[in-house]
Amino acid sequence: MSEIKFTDQHEWVRVDGDVATIGITDYAQEQLGDVVYVELPEVGREVAKGDEAAVVESVKAASEVYAPISGEVVEVNGDLEATPAGVNEDALGRGWFVKIKVKDAAELGTLMDKTAYDTFVAELE
Amino acid sequence: MALAEPTTPDTPLKRTPLHALHLELRGKMVPFAGYEMPVQFPKGVLGEHLHTREKAGLFDVSHMGQAFLAGPDHETTAHALEALVPGDITGLKPGQMRYTLLLNEQGGIRDDLMVTRAAGDGQDGRLFLVVNAACKDADFAHIEALLPPGVELRRADDRALLALQGPSAVAVLTRLASAAGDLDFMTMAEIELCGAPCLVSRSGYTGEDGFEISVPAADAETLARALLAFDEVEPIGLGARDSLRLEAGLCLYGHDIDETTTPVEAALTWSIAKRRRAEANFPGADKILDQIANGAPRKRVGLKPEGRAPAREGAEIVDADGRTVGSVTSGGFGPTVGGPVAMGYVDRDHAGVGSEVTLMVRGKGRPAGIVPLPFVTKRFHRKK
């Protein structure tokens, strides 16, 4: 399992072989508040880096989740349908959104590591 | 993901008398109607909403506009206000409260408000008004400009407004003052709370039993802390205030009602008193009476989306043929209902309860039913 990487849009990515698991960060879930609904893409869909990959809804508003890398959606987290609160409870674990088959590993190179992301978030507050 | 970045407003935000307390309670502060207000506390919108329906929630609604109308006697003051609203104000008994609407000449709604006939010694001729925060300056200017000589508007900007709502509200408030328990729904009395002279009404915006308390600004924090000291009471933010009123089917000005919606279209015909219909002496009377007699072109309805995806304000409502028949004016997730709830306007031919419509959410059509309001049973205090 490779290290976790982050985008400046508050998504995280973890790569295992050629499959990347994606979710939103703990900072993002805290800013969002209680998650009540998650809209996930269809398995088989092709996403390009920066495309809207999912939608996460709090009581008050809907927010887009962007694909940090390009590839084909190979799995989505069905547990989030019944338990959207999983995103709040364990954003980096159980709260994962989609798994994408990595098309171009070089895209990961432009993402932040944990230290860089933590610094980035600290500057936002 | 796209997170709403906080923007700096052009003019500094106003603060309520409870501002320091909100920060101490770790409220998440956001701009609302020119004020810095807590949208939620650490408990979160969901938890705060459920707590209010289960026990008691304390809301700071001091951003709303409070004012007194003062005239030589009740008949004169009430008659002056009746020129602007379609309710029966002259018929109010001392201490009685009524929901009514400030109308414009086209029969549209300038604001919705609560009007109470003051009770107690030396109060004859006084009406107490509470209007929406975003409209208060315009409302008070509008009212003042149209008052006859002898009737004055006095803003009460030196007062805070708290709401204590939920099934435990009466048990809690009677510990501070037993008189609170004697209040009937939609009545107000002068009651001393923590040594401060308060105007306490049995009313609210959540569908639960509860009270709205007008308290001098200097005494607001003491009162709020005293109420929060009770186990049953939690601080509640504007996020849960919105989900609570939506489940209760109550309108939010600027969203479900505005200058382009008549009370008939808004399903608020009940607020137009029978006597006033006969007299036809309120702004927009011709259009409103015509709609009462012949039906309105559209109607505010409750919408229950199938499945779990919420439909939000602005979502188009289409019929089976894909034709637009209305739009959503309020929508979100109802924590007590356990699913999405919404309200919107639908063309009269498609507005029947039980009808199926389609709500356009992110380009996808989602089926929804037109359902009666409210979504949760109202539990207002009824006389035995």
Side-chain angles (χ1 to χ4, degrees), chain B residues 82-86 103-108 262-264 272-273 275-293:
Chain B
E82 282 194 359
L84 309 171
V85 303
L103 298 174
N104 63 33
E105 293 299 328
Q106 294 74 46
T262 70
V264 185
I272 306 173
R275 167 176 63 83
R276 306 297 312 279
R277 297 180 208 191
E279 291 169 1
N281 56 357
F282 49 88
D286 285 347
K287 176 162 173 189
I288 288 172
L289 293 172
D290 178 67
Q291 287 190 346
I292 291 176

Side-chain angles (χ1 to χ4, degrees), chain B residues 168-187:
Chain B
S168 301
V170 61
V172 167
L173 201 56
T174 49
R175 289 174 205 149
L176 294 186
S178 60
D182 299 329
L183 281 173
D184 289 324
F185 181 55
M186 296 295 270
T187 64

Side-chain angles (χ1 to χ4, degrees), chain A residues 4 12-14 19-25 38-41 43 54 56 65 73-81 83-100:
Chain A
I4 188 169
W12 58 262
V13 193
R14 246 191 223 107
V19 174
T21 305
I22 288 145
I24 66 170
T25 65
V38 175
E39 191 179 283
L40 299 170
V43 169
V56 56
V65 178
V73 176
V74 294
E75 202 183 328
V76 299
N77 187 354
D79 287 347
L80 291 185
E81 213 206 323
T83 319
V87 176
N88 298 115
E89 287 158 15
D90 188 13
L92 267 61
R94 276 192 296 121
W96 67 272
F97 279 58
V98 294
K99 290 189 202 273
I100 291 180

Side-chain angles (χ1 to χ4, degrees), chain B residues 38-313:
Chain B
V39 67
Q40 66 176 70
F41 292 89
K43 203 171 181 61
V45 176
L46 230 57
E48 290 167 30
H49 175 117
L50 294 171
H51 182 89
T52 303
R53 293 219 192 281
E54 219 175 299
K55 298 216 176 111
L58 182 67
F59 304 71
D60 176 12
V61 288
S62 304
H63 56 318
M64 299 184 77
Q66 302 179 61
F68 294 92
L69 277 185
D73 53 68
H74 173 67
E75 185 72 31
T76 307
T77 311
H79 192 70
L81 187 60
E82 282 194 359
L84 309 171
V85 303
D88 172 19
I89 310 301
T90 56
L92 286 174
K93 299 194 268 286
Q96 193 183 4
M97 239 175 139
R98 191 150 277 158
Y99 172 81
T100 191
L101 310 166
L102 280 171
L103 298 174
N104 63 33
E105 293 299 328
Q106 294 74 46
I109 301 168
R110 302 177 66 111
D111 200 6
D112 61 345
L113 67 154
M114 293 299 235
V115 179
T116 308
R117 176 176 175 179
D121 298 328
Q123 298 293 331
D124 190 42
R126 278 169 50 107
L127 291 174
F128 177 54
L129 311 181
V130 180
V131 303
N132 282 298
C135 306
K136 60 184 175 178
D137 291 341
D139 288 350
F140 293 147
H142 171 70
I143 294 170
E144 203 158 31
L146 296 167
L147 289 176
V151 182
E152 267 179 29
L153 178 93
R154 294 175 200 157
R155 290 182 67 143
D157 296 328
D158 57 347
R159 300 186 75 88
L161 193 65
L162 310 184
L164 183 69
Q165 301 280 304
S168 301
V170 61
V172 167
L173 201 56
T174 49
R175 289 174 205 149
L176 294 186
S178 60
D182 299 329
L183 281 173
D184 289 324
F185 181 55
M186 296 295 270
T187 64
M188 186 178 88
E190 291 176 352
I191 298 179
E192 193 181 276
L193 298 170
C194 300
C198 296
L199 297 172
V200 181
S201 64
R202 197 140 192 184
S203 59
Y205 194 47
T206 60
E208 299 297 323
D209 183 26
F211 303 88
E212 290 172 311
I213 305 165
S214 171
V215 53
D219 302 310
E221 188 178 318
T222 304
L223 177 58
R225 287 187 187 277
L227 290 168
L228 289 167
F230 295 113
D231 276 339
E232 297 97 325
V233 184
E234 287 282 327
I236 313 292
L238 292 185
R241 180 168 163 83
D242 190 39
S243 55
L244 286 160
R245 69 92 194 167
L246 178 56
E247 283 187 341
L250 300 172
C251 292
L252 175 60
Y253 189 77
H255 301 260
D256 310 298
I257 48 176
D258 61 30
E259 301 242 24
T260 71
T261 61
T262 70
V264 185
E265 292 163 14
L268 297 174
T269 314
W270 57 264
S271 70
I272 306 173
K274 291 221 158 64
R275 167 176 63 83
R276 306 297 312 279
R277 297 180 208 191
E279 291 169 1
N281 56 357
F282 49 88
D286 285 347
K287 176 162 173 189
I288 288 172
L289 293 172
D290 178 67
Q291 287 190 346
I292 291 176
N294 302 313
R298 56 180 179 158
K299 237 13 204 203
R300 177 177 65 100
V301 296
L303 297 157
K304 184 77 189 77
E306 269 170 52
R308 293 161 188 264
R312 313 251 176 201
E313 182 177 349

